[in-house]
Amino acid sequence: ISIENIKNILVQNTYIIVASIGMAFVIIGGGIDLSVGYQISLIGVVTTISMQWFHLPVWLSVMIGLAAGTLLGAINGFLSVKLQVHPMVVTLATMTIYQGISYIITNSNSIYGLSDSFKFIGQGQLFGVPISILVMIVILLLATFFLKKTYPGRYVYALGGNEEAARLSGVNTSAIRVLSFAICGFFVAVAAILLVSRSGSMNSSVGAGTEFTCITAAVLGGVSMAGGEGKVWKVCVGAIILGVLSNGMQFIGLGVYPQYVAKGVILMAAISFDTYQKNTKSESEKAEEKR
């Protein structure tokens, strides 16, 4: 336990925290997004080729990356609504589509030579605080405000709690579904930019598997897989717990694969506890109704 190590854990996991917040929006709304990992890959590619191939300014390339992420998320939500298929199936399909597009664009080659001004986003500091941590804090505050203080945020909870009841109450459930995925895509884009700018290069394999970590962080942070429940700050805690776990396992000499096992066990335990809570609550409600 040291300030330097804690700072390293936060810096290394800022993109996970931001992407997990985006995933939380979708899960709270009663969906799930399995394409997050390759959204990061495709967004990273789009952002970096804008700078390296088309020689666009850093700020414009970042804006293009953010717009691309929002679009990819909105496509997931739109397809889920129009095809009337569970988001898991839709995002499983778009995951492979985004993966293929990312590799086609780069031809499996890495992109190097990113500008210092772009790398400053992930590597720079402001008054001794890493820029990535400041961005994470801003995202946390924005997400919390949106979910707690705005009508669309409350509609996201209503959508996940009972979609039919929300629809009968006058909520445009289709629009809220697309909105929740679009917001997820925007946050995933921010995560991609933080990750790529910190690493200083881009490869289409970057980001793969992130969706599993995000789902685990969200569920560990108290977001119900059934939808309708969850708080953003707790999702951040869940992501940090996973970061500390990985950091600790590295210190004691365990490799990557034991970490996969540990994360899988944690996810299974979190889901089991969530199911137990739901069943207990349902049984108590039934008992009260009988009385």
Side-chain angles (χ1 to χ4, degrees):
I1 299 176
S2 66
I3 293 177
E4 193 62 32
N5 189 43
I6 291 171
K7 183 189 287 188
N8 287 336
I9 291 172
L10 288 175
V11 169
Q12 290 169 6
N13 289 276
T14 47
Y15 84 98
I16 291 289
I17 294 172
V18 173
S20 297
I21 292 173
M23 181 69 79
F25 269 79
V26 174
I27 298 178
I28 290 172
I32 195 166
D33 192 342
L34 299 181
S35 69
V36 162
Y38 281 107
Q39 280 188 54
I40 289 177
S41 173
L42 183 52
I43 293 162
V45 167
V46 168
T47 304
T48 51
I49 66 171
S50 296
M51 290 182 288
Q52 299 300 98
W53 296 3
F54 300 103
H55 307 291
L56 298 178
V58 170
W59 69 268
L60 183 56
S61 300
V62 169
M63 293 299 292
I64 290 173
L66 295 176
T70 306
L71 177 61
L72 295 179
I75 289 173
N76 287 340
F78 179 79
L79 291 175
S80 176
V81 169
K82 287 301 179 182
L83 299 178
Q84 296 183 349
V85 178
H86 193 280
M88 179 181 289
V89 179
V90 171
T91 56
L92 184 63
T94 56
M95 175 183 72
T96 58
I97 293 171
Y98 298 157
Q99 176 187 12
I101 295 173
S102 178
Y103 277 95
I104 288 170
I105 293 173
T106 63
N107 197 26
S108 299
N109 295 318
S110 298
I111 301 173
Y112 298 103
L114 302 181
S115 67
D116 291 337
S117 56
F118 178 72
K119 289 189 287 187
F120 180 76
I121 299 172
Q123 300 175 10
Q125 297 188 1
L126 187 64
F127 304 114
V129 181
I131 298 294
S132 57
I133 293 179
L134 295 176
V135 172
M136 178 198 72
I137 292 172
V138 171
I139 292 295
L140 170 61
L141 294 175
L142 286 175
T144 301
F145 176 81
F146 181 85
L147 284 174
K148 293 184 68 175
K149 300 296 183 181
T150 68
Y151 284 112
R154 293 169 188 165
Y155 292 159
V156 171
Y157 281 104
L159 177 66
N162 190 321
E163 183 173 354
E164 183 61 19
R167 187 184 66 81
L168 293 174
S169 299
V171 176
N172 188 337
T173 54
S174 296
I176 296 300
R177 174 79 68 196
V178 174
L179 177 64
S180 65
F181 274 94
I183 291 173
C184 176
F186 175 80
F187 288 157
V188 169
V190 174
I193 290 166
L194 290 176
L195 175 60
V196 176
S197 60
R198 181 168 64 86
S199 62
S201 62
M202 181 60 205
N203 185 283
S204 291
S205 62
V206 169
T210 304
E211 66 281 345
F212 177 81
T213 305
C214 292
I215 293 169
T216 306
V219 176
L220 189 61
V223 177
S224 173
M225 289 296 290
E229 295 180 17
K231 294 182 179 180
V232 172
W233 72 268
K234 289 185 178 180
V235 173
C236 295
V237 173
I240 291 171
I241 288 173
L242 293 177
V244 171
L245 176 69
S246 296
N247 182 261
M249 293 179 76
Q250 289 170 8
F251 269 118
I252 62 176
L254 292 178
V256 175
Y257 302 116
Q259 293 181 38
Y260 289 156
V261 174
K263 288 179 180 179
V265 170
I266 289 172
L267 177 59
M268 187 63 68
I271 292 174
S272 300
F273 182 67
D274 178 53
T275 304
Y276 171 76
Q277 281 187 315
K278 288 285 186 183
N279 292 337
T280 303
K281 183 179 179 180
S282 178
E283 289 174 2
S284 62
E285 288 176 352
K286 290 178 181 178
E288 289 180 3
E289 287 177 1
K290 290 179 179 180
R291 291 175 187 174

